[in-house]
Amino acid sequence: MRWKTRTAAFTAAAAATLAAAATALVAVTFSPAPASADTGTGYLRTSGRNIVDSTGRVVRLTGINWFGMETDNRTFHGLWASAPATWRGQLDRMASLGFNTLRVPYSGDALKPGATATGINDFTNPDLIGLSPLQILDKVIEYAGTKGMRVILDRHRPTAAGQTPLWYTATVSEASMIADWQLLARRYAGNPTVIGADLFNEPHAEGTDPNATGACWGCDVQARDWRLAAERIGNAVLQANSDWLIFVEGVSCLSGGVANEWDGIPDDPMACDWWGGNLSAAIDKPVRLNVANRLVYAPHDYGISVYDRQDWFEDPNFPNNLPAVWDHFWGKIAKQNVAPILVGEFGSTLANPLDTQWLTKLMSYIGENGLSFTYWSWNPNSGDTGGIALDDWYSINQTKYNILQPYLNPPSGNPNPTTPGPSVSPSRSASPSPSASRSPSPSPSISPSRPPSPSPSVSPSANPPGACTRVITIINSWPGGYQAEIKVTNIGTSTLNPWTVTWTVPSGVTLSSGWNATVTQSGTTITAAAPSWAAALAPSGSVTIGYTATGPSSPAPSNVRLNGAVCS
């Protein structure tokens, strides 16, 4: 369970207590991060309640979970989808919608020597066939970095078998968990696209008090105290890669056990929260890391579609009571300038109207307090929440997206300050947790009848004097259509504001969709106009426009121009 059943008699009293606590917080509240903060430059650090980049600029992560690597497939779900939902196409879609961070759940099974990835469509993703789970992760991270996105790795389960209350099992030791984390920390050392480790997903209570056997916080029992374990594991990760942030989730009940609801003793309705959501003791009993400015707390929160229902959904003041609930369990950490908060998972099917109120209120709370988040999930096959993506892994759930969209910051930073910046901020206007252990639908068996398409062909550009250079990439092709990218770099000496890119396609090619700009077609000319929030293209800056079209992919697009000048 991700909850604890409690006697309702204490609800009103608890609400009054929480209201008083929230009032008391006002005197020690610090200013939130600006809503426009982006993903920044270089490695990230913490400064009080904020996450900052290598220049000290405030960063706000507005991301999404893409699960699958923690399951028996051992790689991202949805790699079985049809075009345009290739693996690159899905990342393009996430970035174009404004998600600037990718949280990647994995299990130890995906890291084992000889691990194989399954559920991959060899027609739409031929470049992934034969790769190991880690090699696929490498490609996703590399491509996400080119979009200006950041990546958080999440130890979601010890094995693909399922969720556990403790971070270790009889067959998976804490030492092996640390070894897995150090492997990843060393593998991605020097790559600031990968910003850190979410040490373990949703430690939670098990057993009935006083005989608790689940994860506790501050109980000082080495085998169960998640706070102490997070210190051991986090410091081991930092020993391997001191540049990473360490994301630490809460527990469900501080004691590590649920109350005995049959003993006739009323139980405190605020004693327990969602799995991973209870950080109410973290100020008095913090996680202590050996490297300063690396700790981020990462609670989870959910709606009725995951469990019907937590006591606070019954409050007559719902949903206005919710900010006090969040203050109690984790919000006070940021409000008192102790550490940053990233809400690592939250989601719902929105089948119950109360969940729409819950999600709307939560996003308002996140926005007002300048918090970071990673929504659960991109995947449509999360059994009790669904996803942002619909079943084609490309179209989106517009109702959910409309609630999230005002709080999204499209990827616009440069993770690696030694390389050129990423694509211009993508358009937000494109039509677009529980974990996979929460009843995802089974992954399909992929047996496409069509032959795999060849690896993407790239038309390289030289760099002669001129206004711009271009790279044309056919990402994928299929009978009757294709997906392509046009990357244009301003090699002139002046900033172009606004910028416009045009190119020519053969007769018979018709534009289907475009992203990262306002993309239109007139005859054989396709035009990509700069979005209003990324209108300027500085010298040495690049923009990558993606599009899909019906018709032949050969001959490739030609006559690429930037503000009328021919690109070489």
Side-chain angles (χ1 to χ4, degrees):
M1 295 188 301
R2 295 169 185 80
W3 53 85
K4 172 184 173 185
T5 302
R6 311 172 188 86
T7 303
F10 273 52
T11 302
T17 301
L18 286 172
T23 301
L25 282 172
V26 172
V28 292
T29 296
F30 289 75
S31 299
S36 60
D38 61 23
T39 48
T41 298
Y43 279 107
L44 305 185
R45 303 287 182 259
T46 67
S47 176
R49 57 170 294 129
N50 292 323
I51 299 173
V52 298
D53 72 359
S54 59
T55 70
R57 186 162 53 113
V58 172
V59 167
R60 198 168 66 86
L61 306 175
T62 65
I64 197 158
N65 287 267
W66 189 8
F67 69 74
M69 197 174 174
E70 82 285 14
T71 71
D72 286 336
N73 296 101
R74 297 180 177 84
T75 193
F76 300 91
H77 281 182
L79 300 183
W80 53 72
S82 300
T86 63
W87 71 270
R88 288 188 184 91
Q90 292 186 57
L91 284 170
D92 289 340
R93 195 72 162 125
M94 295 175 205
S96 74
L97 293 170
F99 296 105
N100 66 28
T101 301
L102 187 66
R103 182 174 179 261
V104 180
Y106 77 91
S107 79
D109 287 350
L111 308 185
K112 291 180 178 178
T116 58
T118 62
I120 301 173
N121 187 330
D122 63 1
F123 179 76
T124 53
N125 295 304
D127 52 337
L128 303 185
I129 300 302
L131 300 185
S132 71
L134 272 175
Q135 289 171 326
I136 294 173
L137 179 62
D138 290 344
K139 290 177 75 70
V140 167
I141 287 170
E142 180 182 14
Y143 191 66
T146 70
K147 314 296 291 183
M149 298 176 77
R150 302 290 193 153
V151 175
I152 299 169
L153 302 178
D154 155 46
R155 174 80 169 198
H156 211 70
R157 308 167 170 175
T159 71
Q163 208 72 24
T164 57
L166 299 172
W167 54 98
Y168 63 91
T169 69
T171 57
V172 181
S173 66
E174 180 180 305
S176 70
M177 176 186 185
I178 288 174
D180 286 346
W181 267 126
Q182 291 187 323
L183 178 154
L184 293 170
R186 294 186 178 107
R187 187 180 188 91
Y188 299 115
N191 182 351
T193 296
V194 186
I195 58 172
D198 189 333
L199 298 181
F200 182 66
N201 186 68
E202 297 185 345
H204 57 271
E206 188 173 63
T208 302
D209 289 331
N211 301 309
T213 58
C216 64
W217 189 287
C219 67
D220 293 326
V221 178
Q222 290 287 318
R224 296 197 300 111
D225 194 329
W226 170 235
R227 173 223 187 188
L228 298 180
E231 292 176 351
R232 294 191 298 270
I233 301 164
N235 284 324
V237 172
L238 290 171
Q239 188 175 32
N241 186 343
S242 61
D243 287 316
W244 272 12
L245 296 176
I246 301 298
F247 296 85
V248 178
E249 299 181 26
V251 293
S252 57
C253 307
L254 296 180
S255 68
V258 297
N260 182 350
E261 56 187 289
W262 309 110
D263 60 6
I265 302 173
D267 304 317
D268 180 359
M270 300 306 297
C272 299
D273 193 16
W274 299 99
W275 288 4
N278 192 343
L279 287 160
S280 59
I283 293 178
D284 294 331
K285 297 180 178 180
V287 171
R288 298 156 295 186
L289 298 176
N290 294 335
V291 181
N293 304 318
R294 298 295 186 275
L295 176 63
V296 179
Y297 288 109
H300 293 184
D301 200 80
Y302 278 104
I304 289 174
S305 73
V306 174
Y307 165 65
D308 191 1
R309 66 196 60 179
Q310 298 279 18
D311 286 337
W312 37 92
F313 284 88
E314 305 279 8
D315 191 299
N317 196 34
F318 177 88
N320 295 326
N321 62 312
L322 293 177
V325 174
W326 297 321
D327 283 347
H328 169 76
F329 283 118
W330 41 267
K332 61 187 176 184
I333 296 171
K335 287 190 171 185
Q336 295 184 29
N337 207 38
V338 174
I341 289 289
L342 176 138
V343 185
E345 290 185 20
F346 59 102
S348 167
T349 62
L350 299 188
N352 190 312
L354 292 179
D355 273 2
T356 300
Q357 296 181 63
W358 159 79
L359 182 58
T360 301
K361 198 70 174 180
L362 178 59
M363 293 313 300
S364 175
Y365 182 89
I366 285 172
E368 289 170 1
N369 291 288
L371 308 181
S372 293
F373 64 86
T374 50
Y375 182 79
W376 189 276
S377 60
W378 173 250
N379 305 49
N381 63 328
S382 176
D384 49 9
T385 66
I388 289 294
L390 299 180
D391 288 344
D392 63 359
W393 294 83
Y394 199 78
S395 305
I396 64 163
N397 183 312
Q398 195 68 46
T399 302
K400 294 180 183 180
Y401 181 68
N402 287 346
I403 298 174
L404 299 180
Q405 188 273 335
Y407 306 95
L408 295 174
N409 287 321
S412 57
N414 182 10
N416 189 342
T418 65
T419 61
S423 314
V424 168
S425 302
S427 166
R428 294 182 182 178
S429 62
S431 51
S433 145
S435 17
S437 61
R438 301 177 178 129
S439 307
S441 57
S443 57
S445 173
I446 304 301
S447 301
S449 58
R450 298 168 292 181
S453 59
S455 299
S457 57
V458 177
S459 174
S461 62
N463 193 24
C468 54
T469 60
R470 54 90 177 122
V471 176
I472 301 169
T473 305
I474 303 299
I475 299 296
N476 200 3
S477 62
W478 55 91
Y482 67 95
Q483 178 185 353
E485 285 186 348
I486 310 290
K487 180 179 180 180
V488 174
T489 301
N490 177 11
I491 60 173
T493 58
S494 301
T495 296
L496 303 178
N497 188 357
W499 56 265
T500 301
V501 175
T502 61
W503 61 93
T504 302
V505 293
S507 179
V509 171
T510 301
L511 177 70
S512 299
S513 64
W515 50 94
N516 296 353
T518 300
V519 186
T520 58
Q521 182 175 12
S522 176
T524 59
T525 299
I526 295 180
T527 300
S532 60
W533 50 86
L537 185 59
S540 300
S542 298
V543 56
T544 300
I545 303 105
Y547 73 98
T548 60
T550 59
S553 60
S554 180
S558 60
N559 191 28
V560 178
R561 296 172 180 260
L562 176 61
N563 285 26
V566 177
C567 298
S568 55

